[in-house]
Amino acid sequence: MSTPEEAAAADPAIAELTDQIAKLGVSIAEAKQAKKPKEEWDPLLKEMLALKVEYKAKTGQEYGPKKEEKKPKGNDSQEASDKNKEKRAKKAAEKAAKEEKKRKQREERERIQREKLEKLKSAANEDWSHVFGDAPMIQSATKSEEGVNRWTRIEALSKEMEGKKVLVRGFLHTARGVGKGAFVLIRSSLYTVQCVAFESKDIPSAMIKYMNGVPVESIVDVYGTLTVPANPVEGATQSQVEVQVEKFHCVHKATAAMPFQMEDACRPDLVKETDVGAYDHEVNASAEGGRVGQETRLDHRWIDLRTPANQSIFRVQSM
């Protein structure tokens, strides 16, 4: 395929035709550049198009520069440059590392979930009644050889008994759960001791929930090892020791809601008592500041008598 210049060199008539087309093209370009109206240069355009048709009829090809042959596209599998290959390899390695990390995390989650399910199944199938739960009624059907001596009195607990197995009975004064552990305060007469239990292979999570769910003022039996804590236990009379719980049974569960919290009733009364016959209802009946008013105490005297203050009064009177 030849260019217009090559065709003009071979035939003078073609050369003249080419020259006319070129001149018309220049004239049209100048008119457009001068922003002349189309009516002025449109006849020139039509004349040039007619000459191009004539040129094609004589030469068998379109007028214009020779079109560059398109280079054949390379194969899709053509190797990339070294730089691109390095980038792609790096991205592929990073993606593979992320996928591997996700796979390991997924497997770890599945493993933990399986262990939890197996643990729950084993706990459900295993009978833990010998470790915790509501104690059955004795109804004087049996009598132990030790009798009352099998219980250790709370006031007798001391550092000298560290490491000894003890069984204590008393009122459940307070109970609070911390994570996978339970802290309960057992009260008997004037004395209290803290008992601690944490979830382990010997203590199921159901026991921790049970200890935290027993109503306050229920009578409980606690069996465990007496230990000496690193710091004294605040809020317990036996502050130098605590019981690491191994067994926890409720002997008698408080069924009715307490009219007031024993923890509040045990707080000292800072309000000056009125004289007999001059009872101040507003001062003594209010429970502001977490204190129990005198009227509430008198209405529920059978509970109020459990407080250490009233226990001490009766002890002094009996001397």
Side-chain angles (χ1 to χ4, degrees):
M1 185 176 180
S2 61
T3 62
E5 289 78 8
E6 293 173 347
D11 189 348
I14 300 298
E16 184 180 356
L17 189 61
T18 303
D19 186 54
Q20 291 178 359
I21 293 174
K23 289 180 179 179
L24 288 172
V26 172
S27 300
I28 293 171
E30 290 177 352
K32 286 183 177 180
Q33 189 174 4
K35 297 182 180 181
K36 293 181 179 181
K38 186 178 180 181
E39 291 77 9
E40 293 185 12
W41 52 265
D42 189 54
L44 300 177
L45 177 61
K46 290 179 180 180
E47 184 181 353
M48 185 181 69
L49 292 175
L51 292 175
K52 285 184 176 182
V53 171
E54 184 181 351
Y55 175 87
K56 183 176 181 181
K58 291 181 178 181
T59 61
Q61 61 186 22
E62 297 285 346
Y63 176 85
K66 185 178 180 181
K67 293 183 179 179
E68 295 183 0
E69 295 182 359
K70 293 183 179 179
K71 294 182 180 180
K73 292 184 178 179
N75 196 349
D76 294 337
S77 61
Q78 184 180 2
E79 293 185 0
S81 63
D82 293 340
K83 187 175 181 180
N84 289 336
K85 286 175 65 177
E86 184 179 348
K87 286 182 179 180
R88 290 174 183 174
K90 185 177 179 181
K91 287 183 179 179
E94 291 177 353
K95 186 177 180 180
K98 287 182 180 179
E99 292 296 332
E100 181 66 16
K101 184 178 179 181
K102 288 180 180 180
R103 185 186 64 80
K104 289 182 178 180
Q105 290 176 346
R106 183 171 58 254
E107 290 179 352
E108 181 67 15
R109 288 195 300 268
E110 291 175 354
R111 183 188 64 81
I112 294 173
Q113 189 66 21
R114 283 196 304 270
E115 289 180 356
K116 286 184 178 179
L117 291 175
E118 291 174 0
K119 191 174 181 180
L120 289 174
K121 288 180 181 178
S122 61
N125 297 331
E126 189 171 353
D127 184 14
W128 292 95
S129 59
H130 64 288
V131 177
F132 74 96
D134 296 343
M137 293 184 66
I138 299 176
Q139 296 179 326
S140 300
T142 59
K143 183 179 180 181
S144 63
E145 295 180 0
E146 303 93 341
V148 295
N149 293 327
R150 60 177 172 165
W151 286 285
T152 303
R153 298 176 67 86
I154 293 179
E155 60 264 31
L157 302 177
S158 61
K159 292 192 294 184
E160 289 72 20
M161 299 172 64
E162 183 181 4
K164 185 178 179 181
K165 302 289 185 180
V166 295
L167 174 65
V168 296
R169 172 175 288 186
F171 290 102
L172 180 63
H173 192 67
T174 59
R176 60 186 177 92
V178 179
K180 296 183 178 180
F183 293 80
V184 297
L185 196 65
I186 307 301
R187 186 188 76 253
S188 178
S189 185
L190 302 174
Y191 307 97
T192 53
V193 65
Q194 178 173 270
C195 304
V196 183
F198 287 95
E199 185 179 342
S200 64
K201 63 177 182 178
D202 298 321
I203 299 178
S205 59
M207 177 175 172
I208 303 299
K209 293 180 181 179
Y210 178 82
M211 292 175 64
N212 292 326
V214 174
V216 295
E217 290 307 296
S218 297
I219 300 174
V220 296
D221 275 349
V222 180
Y223 177 82
T225 305
L226 197 68
T227 59
V228 177
N231 300 315
V233 180
E234 297 182 2
T237 60
Q238 311 308 105
S239 59
Q240 300 300 320
V241 294
E242 66 182 8
V243 179
Q244 298 295 328
V245 181
E246 297 176 16
K247 297 180 181 180
F248 187 92
H249 290 91
C250 181
V251 179
H252 179 76
K253 188 174 293 184
T255 56
M258 296 289 291
F260 53 82
Q261 295 294 324
M262 286 298 297
E263 190 176 3
D264 296 336
C266 291
R267 291 191 179 97
D269 189 4
L270 302 180
V271 180
K272 183 178 179 181
E273 295 184 359
T274 57
D275 295 334
V276 177
Y279 184 78
D280 190 338
H281 181 277
E282 293 184 359
V283 172
N284 294 286
S286 64
E288 294 181 1
R291 295 180 176 84
V292 183
Q294 184 176 0
E295 185 174 359
T296 305
R297 290 177 183 271
L298 293 174
D299 289 342
H300 305 277
R301 187 62 171 165
W302 58 280
I303 299 176
D304 186 48
L305 289 176
R306 300 178 187 176
T307 60
N310 286 321
Q311 290 284 321
S312 300
I313 292 173
F314 282 101
R315 289 196 175 206
V316 171
Q317 288 178 347
S318 63
M319 297 178 69

